[in-house]
Amino acid sequence: MSRTNTAHGRSRSAVDSGVNRWVVLVVLCVSLLLVALDATILHVAVPSLTEDLRPSSTALLWIVDAYPLVCASLLILFGTLGDRVGRRRVLLLGYALFGTASAVAALATAPAVLIGARALLGVGGAMIMPATLSILRTVFPDRRERATAIGVWTATAAIGAATGPVLGGFLVENYWWGSVFLINIPLMALILPLGRRLLPESRGAADGPWDVLGALMAAAGVLGCVLGVKRAGAGDPLLALPTAGPLLLGAALLVLFVRRQKRRPHPLIDLRLFSRAAFTTSVGCIVIGMLALVGLELIAVQYLQLVLGLSPLETGLRLLPLTFAAMAAGATGSYTLRRIGPRRMVGWGFVLTAAAVLLLTFMGQHDRPLLLTVGFVLLGFGLQTTLFSAYESMLSEAPQRSAGGAAAIGETSYQLGAGMGIALLGSVMNAAYAPALASVPGVPAEASRGAANSLGEAYKVADQLGGTAGEALHQAARHSFVQGLHVTLFVSAGLLLVGALMARRLPRIMECPVDPEEAFDAREAQGAHPAQEGADPAAGRPGPASAGPSERSGASGMPAASERTARPERARASGVPAAPERGASSGVPAAPGRAGHAEPAGSPEGGEPRVPATREAIEPAGSGRPAH
């Protein structure tokens, strides 16, 4: 317990108040921007890379997928490690590894070297991504401020993902494909000393030993599942050993991991989080949102370059409306969330995204700039709205002591959705594209099989054939690709509508407790032992017995409290007047101070970020908390 308290004291004293939190947010967003850029900047460089390194189709798939696969499998490991050894420390190590791997990737002369460098980039990304989100959770304890910060954070991720093709196109046209990795090195050289100087150190619950075996089981389980899905998406039979083996092994390891966490007194992941419908639903919505976005983006890049004949730079510029729309959604997300609540925001975001996807089915073999612009604007705004609200709801359901684990779960769902989107939508695309090329007049069977691999390969085969047969293959491949794109868009729209139905399980309103950690513990205690907590079921607030300190194992080291009771100590630490204003505004007397509670060392008075000593539910007066 004392170790947990000390960790909290360090995180609070590390950030003064006011503007310092926003300086920390800027550093975290720059970190995330680099990771998000690397996820998409390679897409427009694939043709140049293929021409230079001559990778096989399998090697090319690994070059693209190694980064998200490795990153997804290690997020839980590094997210929970950050809770134990320090999130800032893990983040700085991730910076160094990311810069080193970028240099290796830029200078790679063989496909195997590039695949290895991309895997190392995935390791660095797995160290960076959950650390940024968990540090954000620590320095923004007030939900309203945190909603604004998460809006900026998610908008940064969207900006990085959408700006990647633009920057990559510029670099490929003016330099060589390796420059898309080389650009990371000076940026990392800048952000590493800034992060070391400005970022606060924070830890979560550090009771008991870190479960190394459990972390490795989770990593291997996630990797096996995603690898099996990727092989199925590449066209391998589902029941074949290379596909079914990783899937079954990964699923078995994840089941064993969950059982292990339930038995351990100090688990890596607090599985109680998944008993909250809002947390579980938010994770599912992130998976579906990313599944649709990344798969569609990869196919859209191929469409713009290979069907419309745009250059890499022109392709990136066509995707800019998606970036601007995502920025607008992130900037207005906090206000919208307070007004309409998580349920409507996620649900209508999915519906808007599905409408945008259906609009894009009117794309054909000829350029329609206005249609593409409108579709990308709606797609960017709708999907960013969904991801923002889902992330905010997920993070607000987790207490601060589990911030690293919760962030790792959210980022794992993000990366899983991205990897599965490439595999699932890619397999749908291939299934719709390949059959039409099997019977093109005048084209040999061997040439048809080669053309069925991808549209780029079909163009090469058509150029080699030449004459009437080559022209027929070229037209058939182009037409088949557009037809396959339409089928893929319809499948994506269906998945997005499933996400809209899932969103009905989210809370109707946005609630702002004083301390989500105390609220989390209070909900758990009231559900298990309402009599021992002195709870009054009719009033929904604790009775006189709740004034004493709690000795709940694994809690934050703070007394249990009703969700509607403000803590005077927390009010004093944030510089907000305590009991009189609280009692006057709500009619509820202030709770007495913590008897016999010693503040942890290193937590000076006034060192905590300012948190309003109120609990606000953004809803009409008199309405209650919805069940979720």
Side-chain angles (χ1 to χ4, degrees):
M1 187 71 67
S2 61
R3 293 179 64 186
T4 304
N5 286 339
T6 303
H8 290 169
R10 281 192 295 267
S11 66
R12 288 170 182 168
S13 62
V15 182
D16 295 331
S17 62
V19 71
N20 287 346
R21 295 195 297 274
W22 304 104
V23 173
V24 171
L25 178 62
V26 170
V27 176
L28 296 178
C29 286
V30 173
S31 309
L32 180 65
L33 181 65
L34 295 174
V35 177
L37 273 173
D38 206 74
T40 59
I41 198 171
L42 185 63
H43 291 170
V44 295
V46 166
S48 300
L49 182 154
T50 303
E51 183 177 353
D52 187 14
L53 298 183
R54 301 289 182 180
S56 64
S57 58
T58 302
L60 182 60
L61 191 62
W62 275 107
I63 289 172
V64 175
D65 287 349
Y67 176 82
L69 285 177
V70 173
C71 188
S73 64
L74 296 179
L75 284 167
I76 292 177
L77 189 153
F78 287 118
T80 56
L81 181 63
D83 284 342
R84 297 303 180 100
V85 305
R87 295 151 185 161
R88 172 178 170 272
R89 180 179 300 175
V90 172
L91 181 61
L92 295 178
L93 289 174
Y95 289 162
L97 182 59
F98 203 85
T100 303
S102 297
V104 175
L107 302 176
T109 56
V113 176
L114 184 55
I115 292 171
R118 289 279 287 171
L120 285 178
L121 283 169
V123 177
M127 301 175 78
I128 293 172
M129 294 182 72
T132 60
L133 195 55
S134 56
I135 292 175
L136 184 150
R137 168 66 178 82
T138 301
V139 298
F140 289 95
D142 177 59
R143 184 171 184 179
R144 285 162 294 194
E145 284 192 346
R146 186 167 65 245
T148 302
I150 293 176
V152 176
W153 187 88
T154 53
T156 301
I159 291 169
T163 306
V166 180
L167 183 59
F170 172 80
L171 293 173
V172 170
E173 285 191 359
N174 292 276
Y175 302 99
W176 91 109
W177 62 264
S179 60
V180 302
F181 299 109
L182 204 61
I183 192 174
N184 292 336
I185 299 175
L187 294 176
M188 280 298 173
L190 174 65
I191 198 66
L192 183 59
L194 284 178
R196 183 180 178 86
R197 179 178 178 84
L198 298 176
L199 292 178
E201 183 60 283
S202 66
R203 293 179 175 86
D207 296 324
W210 184 55
D211 185 9
V212 180
L213 178 60
L216 295 176
M217 289 173 62
V222 172
L223 180 61
C225 289
V226 178
L227 179 59
V229 172
K230 186 186 74 67
R231 288 189 177 276
D236 293 348
L238 185 60
L239 298 180
L241 183 61
T243 303
L247 275 174
L248 294 176
L249 181 60
L253 286 173
L254 289 179
V255 170
L256 291 175
F257 170 75
V258 171
R259 295 181 62 182
R260 179 180 176 85
Q261 298 309 297
K262 288 182 177 180
R263 293 195 305 265
R264 291 183 63 84
H266 306 291
L268 280 177
I269 301 294
D270 188 354
L271 296 180
R272 294 181 301 168
L273 294 172
F274 288 98
S275 66
R276 305 288 298 165
F279 185 89
T280 307
T281 303
S282 297
V283 169
C285 289
I286 292 171
V287 171
I288 291 179
M290 289 307 302
L291 189 151
L293 175 64
V294 176
L296 286 177
E297 186 177 59
L298 185 60
I299 295 172
V301 168
Q302 298 179 25
Y303 170 80
L304 294 173
Q305 290 192 41
L306 299 177
V307 176
L308 300 186
L310 302 180
S311 68
L313 180 58
E314 290 172 334
T315 298
L317 292 175
R318 286 295 184 92
L319 294 173
L320 276 182
L322 189 150
T323 304
F324 295 140
M327 292 172 61
T332 60
S334 178
Y335 174 83
T336 307
L337 184 62
R338 291 196 300 268
R339 286 295 178 183
I340 67 177
R343 181 187 303 173
R344 291 179 180 177
M345 190 168 180
V346 173
W348 284 111
F350 271 129
V351 170
L352 181 60
T353 308
V357 168
L358 292 176
L359 178 65
L360 292 176
T361 59
F362 290 99
M363 295 186 304
Q365 298 187 36
H366 302 287
D367 193 5
R368 296 180 180 178
L370 181 60
L371 173 67
L372 288 175
T373 300
V374 173
F376 285 154
V377 167
L378 296 178
L379 180 66
F381 191 89
L383 204 52
Q384 181 64 22
T385 296
T386 297
L387 291 174
F388 161 77
S389 187
Y391 264 110
E392 199 282 334
S393 297
M394 179 206 72
L395 206 58
S396 294
E397 286 293 316
Q400 191 275 335
R401 65 176 181 270
S402 302
I409 293 172
E411 293 302 328
T412 300
S413 63
Y414 183 100
Q415 293 293 338
L416 274 173
M420 292 172 63
I422 294 174
L424 178 61
L425 297 186
S427 64
V428 171
M429 182 71 193
N430 290 336
Y433 163 77
L437 302 182
S439 58
V440 180
V443 178
E446 184 178 354
S448 296
R449 285 193 295 270
N453 291 330
S454 67
L455 184 58
E457 188 69 22
Y459 285 172
K460 292 180 181 179
V461 173
D463 291 339
Q464 292 173 358
L465 289 176
T468 305
E471 182 64 24
L473 180 60
H474 188 282
Q475 292 298 328
R478 190 179 183 191
H479 177 76
S480 181
F481 184 89
V482 172
Q483 294 298 318
L485 176 61
H486 291 169
V487 173
T488 305
L489 290 173
F490 280 117
V491 172
S492 298
L495 292 172
L496 292 166
L497 292 177
V498 170
L501 293 176
M502 288 176 54
R504 293 177 61 85
R505 301 185 68 220
L506 290 172
R508 183 176 60 85
I509 58 172
M510 174 186 175
E511 294 186 340
C512 299
V514 171
D515 191 336
E517 187 157 1
E518 292 184 0
F520 182 86
D521 289 338
R523 288 195 298 264
E524 293 296 324
Q526 289 173 4
H529 306 290
Q532 295 179 13
E533 295 294 328
D536 182 359
R541 57 176 63 94
S546 65
S550 170
E551 298 297 328
R552 190 177 301 113
S553 175
S556 62
M558 306 179 72
S562 164
E563 296 175 7
R564 297 186 180 273
T565 304
R567 292 296 185 189
E569 298 90 86
R570 190 168 295 277
R572 286 196 300 271
S574 60
V576 179
E581 288 80 354
R582 173 65 176 153
S585 62
S586 62
V588 180
R594 280 180 260 179
H597 180 80
E599 289 295 327
S603 179
E605 192 78 357
E608 180 182 355
R610 295 175 180 264
V611 184
T614 59
R615 177 186 180 277
E616 177 181 351
I618 310 299
E619 59 177 325
S623 59
R625 176 188 177 93
H628 55 286

